[in-house]
Amino acid sequence: MDGVNKIEQALDEALSRAEASGAPPRLASALRYAVFPGGARIRPRLCLAVAYACGIEDAAPATAAASAIELLHCASLVHDDLPCFDDAATRRGKPSVHRAFGEPLAVLAGDALIVLAFETLARETACPPLRLAGLVLSVGRAVGMPLGIVAGQAWECEPQADLRAYHRAKTGALFAAATVCGAVAAGHEADPWRDLGERLGEAFQVADDLRDAAGNAEDLGKPVGRDAALDRMSAARELGIDGALMRLDDLVDEAVASIPRCPGASELRTLIRIEAQRFLPKELVRVAA
Amino acid sequence: MDGVNKIEQALDEALSRAEASGAPPRLASALRYAVFPGGARIRPRLCLAVAYACGIEDAAPATAAASAIELLHCASLVHDDLPCFDDAATRRGKPSVHRAFGEPLAVLAGDALIVLAFETLARETACPPLRLAGLVLSVGRAVGMPLGIVAGQAWECEPQADLRAYHRAKTGALFAAATVCGAVAAGHEADPWRDLGERLGEAFQVADDLRDAAGNAEDLGKPVGRDAALDRMSAARELGIDGALMRLDDLVDEAVASIPRCPGASELRTLIRIEAQRFLPKELVRVAA
């Protein structure tokens, strides 16, 4: 999954438009702070990798979709870290947005990033307008109600929730948007690519639970042990460390097996196996080796 | 400005999709609570009125744009009412969303409504896809950075702000989206319609400041005197009641004069003068009469 420079540049361009003349300076700073420096950029890289595997001629629509997905991911982190949710003090190795800029600007930064994501789609995909509706709907499905990130987060406010449904909404949905939008941006059908994203999203969430249960705060740049502290649903808590590791292997196998026929399928399969190794906390890679 | 039934029905359909199978029930309830029963629905009615004045054949794209604008307006009310901003206990005559559902669901309800707005545009305007990019960009400009609602709200977090720039972003931008999107949905150019929305938005904000300074909480369904209590920028506080009333008259005159040539221009001018009267708190209409 290459394209990191392309993604960083596209994110920078999107933010530059948000920071244009007339913008309130503190919110503009909060937006940039929320997006740079990034994490692994795994969702936008997945989106671009799928688009390349499908065989794109013009990278612009796929890059726009990848940027939109990363902006929405950043928005969800900013809102999830708020005092009324996780009350996280740090994120990506620095103070969370609400700790650095205050709660009002953190709420607004999340809102602004959601809007910027849709603007980015509409601006960059203006060339093939017939694909825009598909991209907006795929992205909207991934972040909104009834089955997107926001719905996933809302399951934490329900008295009862199914762990897999919760993860599918909270993490799987945006991974599914990454694979689906990569395909749609390349002019391919959406549905055959949904499984790949959903499996990878679930794998990523299981790995995230494992990192929270067995990882190191310094390596991760965020606190660990939050699921237990907040009595939150977690695969590591439900299945144990070994059970969660087995589940992760199964999910990656299923993901790889689901890749539809396309010009770059073989390279994509290899890439995904390599990336999946990077999901795991260092400690557990050693244990599993 | 008719079309109220059309708007209520379109909003209901949008919410029904958000509430579909698999949705977390409490967030689904919070969304509906935030949108129904509505206020005056002035922005979506303005959007439809402009589209009809431009002479539409198919009302679907304009209705979708009108619904998207109202969903975004509702989202902004939910977030503005949060404890970290206005900490408003009531809205539209009932407890605010965070008082009724808690702060986490209020944050998520705002987010979900923003996403639903863009999905609504993409779903309903799929027929004329060439107009979708224009609608998404116009709506995005109205709600995001650097000049939309979110930017307007963020000026409250800056040490210094210009009152007119603040109002233009916080209120004018979404009114401008209403007129611009009405025109774009009808296949007309956007720019000639921006002035009308901006002037009406500013007029509405001045009227809102007057209601806060001189209105009655029971009539309004929300607390009054909040601007003074929170030491917030307000036309009534800056210009005095009489000065603000004069400013309101000027703005409505400018709005009416700005209406571009179109088949229904004359009816639209009349409608806007009638609606402008409804902006004012009853007490001030009597004083001004």
Side-chain angles (χ1 to χ4, degrees):
Chain A
M1 291 196 252
D2 58 356
V4 175
N5 289 343
K6 216 186 277 295
I7 293 160
E8 296 304 311
Q9 194 187 329
L11 290 170
D12 179 58
E13 282 167 16
L15 284 170
S16 300
R17 281 190 292 265
E19 294 158 346
S21 176
R26 293 190 67 220
L27 180 55
S29 302
L31 292 188
R32 193 162 279 275
Y33 184 92
V35 176
F36 294 106
R41 306 288 196 213
I42 189 158
R43 295 160 191 77
R45 285 161 59 228
L46 178 61
C47 179
L48 273 188
V50 167
Y52 282 117
C54 287
I56 43 172
E57 286 153 29
D58 173 13
T63 308
S67 307
I69 285 167
E70 181 64 14
L71 292 170
L72 290 162
H73 173 58
C74 294
S76 78
L77 297 181
V78 174
H79 281 186
D80 285 5
D81 284 345
L82 284 171
C84 70
F85 294 111
D86 295 0
D87 197 14
T90 57
R91 168 70 70 181
R92 291 175 176 168
K94 62 184 186 181
S96 55
V97 174
H98 68 94
R99 289 290 176 101
F101 292 87
E103 205 176 330
L105 285 170
V107 171
L108 296 173
D111 294 354
L113 289 172
I114 298 173
V115 175
L116 187 60
F118 288 101
E119 289 182 281
T120 301
L121 278 182
R123 186 169 279 113
E124 300 300 333
T125 57
C127 309
L130 290 165
R131 290 179 199 168
L132 177 57
L135 290 173
V136 170
L137 290 173
S138 298
V139 164
R141 171 173 169 170
V143 286
M145 282 278 275
L147 302 172
I149 299 177
V150 167
Q153 185 70 15
W155 280 113
E156 291 183 10
C157 304
E158 293 289 337
Q160 286 205 310
D162 172 60
L163 179 65
R164 288 192 65 184
Y166 163 77
H167 280 171
R168 204 155 33 226
K170 192 159 173 200
T171 310
L174 200 53
F175 274 84
T179 54
V180 159
C181 287
V184 170
H188 283 226
E189 261 192 87
D191 283 344
W193 288 91
R194 189 167 294 282
D195 266 2
L196 172 62
E198 284 183 352
R199 293 294 180 285
L200 287 177
E202 204 175 333
F204 185 79
Q205 184 62 56
V206 172
D208 200 52
D209 290 353
L210 279 164
R211 284 196 295 269
D212 185 71
N216 177 307
E218 203 172 319
D219 291 346
L220 297 171
K222 65 178 183 180
V224 296
R226 301 297 294 162
D227 292 334
L230 297 170
D231 193 25
R232 243 176 355 202
M233 293 172 282
S234 144
R237 294 181 72 204
E238 194 185 68
L239 306 173
I241 301 286
D242 288 343
L245 280 167
M246 282 171 59
R247 176 97 195 106
L248 182 59
D249 281 344
D250 288 348
L251 286 165
V252 174
D253 288 344
E254 288 168 32
V256 166
S258 79
I259 294 174
R261 272 170 205 263
C262 63
S266 169
E267 293 86 339
L268 186 59
R269 278 193 286 269
T270 307
L271 267 169
I272 281 171
R273 290 222 175 265
I274 294 169
E275 287 288 326
Q277 285 299 314
R278 294 176 53 184
F279 284 7
L280 274 179
K282 277 187 296 191
E283 295 80 352
L284 294 178
V285 173
R286 272 185 229 119
V287 170
Chain B
M1 292 195 254
D2 57 358
V4 175
N5 289 344
K6 214 185 282 291
I7 292 160
E8 297 303 312
Q9 195 187 330
L11 289 170
D12 179 58
E13 282 167 15
L15 283 170
S16 300
R17 280 191 293 265
E19 292 159 347
S21 173
R26 296 190 65 219
L27 180 55
S29 303
L31 291 188
R32 192 163 278 276
Y33 184 93
V35 177
F36 295 107
R41 306 286 196 213
I42 189 160
R43 296 161 192 77
R45 285 162 58 230
L46 178 60
C47 179
L48 274 189
V50 167
Y52 282 118
C54 287
I56 41 172
E57 286 153 30
D58 173 13
T63 307
S67 306
I69 286 167
E70 182 63 14
L71 292 170
L72 290 162
H73 173 57
C74 293
S76 79
L77 297 181
V78 174
H79 280 186
D80 284 6
D81 284 346
L82 284 171
C84 70
F85 295 110
D86 294 1
D87 197 13
T90 57
R91 166 70 69 181
R92 291 175 176 167
K94 61 184 187 180
S96 55
V97 174
H98 68 93
R99 289 290 176 101
F101 293 86
E103 204 177 332
L105 285 169
V107 171
L108 295 174
D111 294 354
L113 290 171
I114 298 173
V115 174
L116 188 59
F118 287 101
E119 288 183 282
T120 300
L121 279 181
R123 186 167 282 112
E124 299 300 332
T125 57
C127 309
L130 289 166
R131 290 178 199 169
L132 176 58
L135 290 173
V136 170
L137 290 173
S138 298
V139 164
R141 172 174 168 167
V143 286
M145 283 278 275
L147 302 171
I149 299 178
V150 167
Q153 185 70 14
W155 280 112
E156 291 184 8
C157 304
E158 294 287 337
Q160 286 205 312
D162 172 59
L163 179 65
R164 289 191 64 185
Y166 163 78
H167 280 170
R168 203 153 37 223
K170 192 161 173 199
T171 310
L174 200 54
F175 274 84
T179 54
V180 159
C181 288
V184 170
H188 283 227
E189 261 192 88
D191 283 345
W193 289 91
R194 189 168 293 282
D195 266 3
L196 172 63
E198 284 183 353
R199 294 292 181 285
L200 287 177
E202 204 173 335
F204 185 80
Q205 184 62 55
V206 171
D208 198 53
D209 291 352
L210 279 164
R211 284 196 296 270
D212 184 72
N216 176 307
E218 205 173 318
D219 291 346
L220 298 172
K222 65 178 183 180
V224 296
R226 301 296 295 161
D227 292 334
L230 298 170
D231 193 24
R232 243 175 356 200
M233 295 172 280
S234 145
R237 294 181 73 204
E238 192 185 68
L239 307 171
I241 301 286
D242 287 345
L245 280 167
M246 283 172 58
R247 174 96 195 105
L248 183 59
D249 281 346
D250 289 348
L251 285 166
V252 174
D253 287 345
E254 289 168 30
V256 166
S258 80
I259 293 173
R261 271 170 204 265
C262 62
S266 169
E267 293 86 340
L268 187 59
R269 279 192 285 269
T270 307
L271 267 170
I272 280 170
R273 289 221 177 268
I274 294 168
E275 286 287 326
Q277 285 300 313
R278 295 177 51 185
F279 285 5
L280 274 179
K282 279 187 296 192
E283 294 81 352
L284 294 178
V285 173
R286 275 183 229 121
V287 171

